[in-house]
Amino acid sequence: SIFTILTTYACNLGCPYCYEGKGEILNASMSEEIIDLVTKFIQKETSRNHGKPLHIVLFGGEPLLNSTACFNLLDKIQPWAKKNKVPLSIEISTNGTLFTKEMIERFSKYEHVTTHIPLHGPKEIHDKKRCYKNGSGTFEVIMSALTLLKNSPISPFILINLDKESIGRISELLEDLKRKNLNDIPIAFECISPLTVDACQGYSSEYFLRTDASAVSKLYDLIRAKNFRTPVRRAHRYLYCEVLAKDTYCIDSLRNVYKCWHLVGQKEHRVGVIDEKGDFKPTYEYYDILSRDPLQIKECRDCKILPLCGGGCPERAYSRYNTYHAPGCLGKSIDIKKMIKRYLMRHHPSVFKKQKGGEKHVVKNS
């Protein structure tokens, strides 16, 4: 079970591509009363799933602006999980600017804590895209936080945001991380998406990376070549996204429930609410999104790579067709065959044999 908890919609940054409106459209924070109701719901739902591993994601806004709610929740959940022998892991989705030595020590008392911290290219680019509301940059603050985290029991990883301005300058960032002795922290990438462009007022659409999946694949080759690592992935689920799993929820500070953290705050995508007894009351949208069946979507049903993509992203489908029951893939804009080949070469090198005169594939090169 995965529960993403928005302890607050408020944020201390003013990133121009923020799909939540920089904490200025919504800024409600989770009260102690709501924390109690959310805790009851998590316990009930996890018990119904017969003690499946439990993963808690602290999200926002900037969740550490309401650190009291974070600690209250975890202080209730961790003892319960231990008593009921439920494996618990915790992830903090934060911008990284509020980590202090004291804050890290407080989180270190919990078990299996990770945090992912965004960077947006080298300092020059990052400070334009990941900035405080007064426009000042956050690069050096985040570097200091990463230094503190790498020497703590918390396991950090870096999430590099990619747009058309930053994607060609990742080597510069990697060199800077090496100079700061941060090259032992795992790295992952995420493209800035045009799906929520309406909320990203002031962020020119020319910067969005729409479909450059091949370039992202090459970046993973680059970080391995430079002896960086990637984060350990949770167990693979045979769905395009965990959003489509029954036991995943995003709960905001007002008790509203969503399936995807990219859709929080958008009432038309609310799938339910946590009531005054800590029970989940679903809406029509809950059944609508979970009934999505790629085999009932003609474009997906006729696609040869359906078993690999599972029909794609329901959020992407909705943004294009105003329904979850439509293709949510990247379509013909990427060379899927080349991507599959690169994936096999990286993760299953035994599939390929080296012979004199070049490389010969054991399997046909699709």
Side-chain angles (χ1 to χ4, degrees):
S1 300
I2 302 174
F3 298 87
T4 298
I5 312 299
L6 281 79
T7 63
T8 183
Y9 275 110
C11 189
N12 59 332
L13 300 191
C15 306
Y17 55 83
C18 178
Y19 64 86
E20 290 186 30
K22 310 174 189 178
E24 296 164 6
I25 297 174
L26 295 172
N27 55 22
S29 293
M30 193 169 275
S31 66
E32 186 172 349
E33 178 185 5
I34 293 179
I35 283 290
D36 288 339
L37 295 176
V38 170
T39 300
K40 289 179 182 177
F41 169 63
I42 293 172
Q43 292 171 347
K44 290 178 182 179
E45 185 65 17
T46 305
S47 296
R48 272 196 290 268
N49 289 326
H50 305 291
K52 286 182 179 179
L54 169 60
H55 187 66
I56 301 288
V57 182
L58 300 174
F59 195 70
E62 170 47 54
L64 299 188
L65 283 174
N66 192 8
S67 60
T68 299
C70 297
F71 297 133
N72 284 348
L73 175 72
L74 298 180
D75 284 344
K76 297 177 191 319
I77 290 295
Q78 181 162 276
W80 176 86
K82 284 187 175 181
K83 179 181 177 181
N84 291 275
K85 299 181 180 179
V86 175
L88 172 66
S89 57
I90 300 159
E91 182 176 344
I92 310 168
S93 178
T94 171
N95 60 41
T97 61
L98 297 178
F99 271 128
T100 61
K101 184 177 179 182
E102 293 72 27
M103 182 84 73
I104 290 171
E105 287 177 353
R106 184 74 187 274
F107 275 111
S108 295
K109 75 175 187 177
Y110 307 109
E111 298 177 4
H112 308 298
V113 181
T114 63
T115 182
H116 72 261
I117 296 182
L119 287 173
H120 201 123
K123 177 176 169 54
E124 173 196 349
I125 296 176
H126 174 96
D127 281 346
K128 289 193 298 182
K129 309 295 177 65
R130 306 288 302 177
C131 55
Y132 291 108
K133 294 186 188 296
N134 64 6
S136 59
T138 61
F139 188 82
E140 295 302 335
V141 173
I142 291 175
M143 292 297 107
S144 297
L146 287 169
T147 299
L148 289 173
L149 285 163
K150 80 168 215 171
N151 295 312
S152 78
I154 299 174
S155 300
F157 73 90
I158 296 168
L159 185 64
I160 300 180
N161 290 327
L162 300 171
D163 63 10
K164 288 184 179 179
E165 188 175 10
S166 66
I167 193 168
R169 299 184 61 182
I170 300 306
S171 287
E172 297 174 47
L173 173 59
L174 298 180
E175 291 304 317
D176 201 2
L177 290 171
K178 280 188 176 182
R179 285 192 294 270
K180 297 177 186 297
N181 295 315
L182 297 172
N183 52 301
D184 54 344
I185 298 179
I187 291 176
F189 295 101
E190 183 170 279
C191 294
I192 301 301
S193 166
L195 296 182
T196 49
V197 66
D198 291 339
C200 305
Q201 297 177 10
Y203 193 73
S204 174
S205 61
E206 69 184 78
Y207 290 110
F208 287 114
L209 270 178
R210 297 180 183 273
T211 54
D212 211 340
S214 177
V216 176
S217 179
K218 291 177 182 177
L219 286 177
Y220 279 106
D221 290 339
L222 173 66
I223 63 173
R224 290 185 179 91
K226 290 184 175 289
N227 296 317
F228 284 83
R229 297 180 291 123
T230 56
V232 176
R233 299 179 64 184
R234 293 197 299 273
H236 178 70
R237 308 177 79 146
Y238 293 95
L239 296 168
Y240 175 85
C241 177
E242 58 200 18
V243 165
L244 296 167
K246 178 180 178 294
D247 57 344
T248 63
Y249 303 89
C250 296
I251 307 168
D252 77 1
S253 50
L254 301 171
R255 291 188 285 129
N256 296 311
V257 182
Y258 301 85
K259 289 297 288 179
C260 174
W261 60 9
H262 286 155
L263 300 175
V264 294
Q266 301 179 48
K267 288 294 181 67
E268 66 270 26
H269 294 290
R270 184 177 64 172
V271 300
V273 66
I274 306 300
D275 70 10
E276 291 75 10
K277 295 182 180 179
D279 292 320
F280 174 58
K281 300 299 181 183
T283 63
Y284 167 79
E285 285 71 23
Y286 174 76
Y287 301 103
D288 188 27
I289 192 169
L290 286 185
S291 65
R292 185 176 191 267
D293 180 359
L295 290 176
Q296 300 303 314
I297 302 169
K298 183 181 185 305
E299 295 89 339
C300 297
R301 186 172 61 247
D302 296 341
C303 180
K304 294 180 180 178
I305 63 166
L306 176 61
L308 290 174
C309 87
C313 171
E315 175 199 0
R316 187 181 293 119
Y318 196 95
S319 72
R320 291 174 177 171
Y321 303 102
N322 205 37
T323 175
Y324 300 123
H325 306 279
C329 64
L330 294 173
K332 298 179 181 178
S333 54
I334 61 171
D335 188 338
I336 191 67
K337 291 182 179 180
K338 184 181 292 185
M339 288 184 63
I340 293 171
K341 176 185 172 184
R342 290 177 64 85
Y343 179 88
L344 290 172
M345 292 180 71
R346 184 186 303 128
H347 296 283
H348 304 282
S350 61
V351 174
F352 299 85
K353 284 184 179 178
K354 285 188 176 180
Q355 293 187 357
K356 187 176 181 179
E359 201 170 53
K360 182 178 180 180
H361 307 323
V362 174
V363 294
K364 288 186 177 180
N365 182 11
S366 299

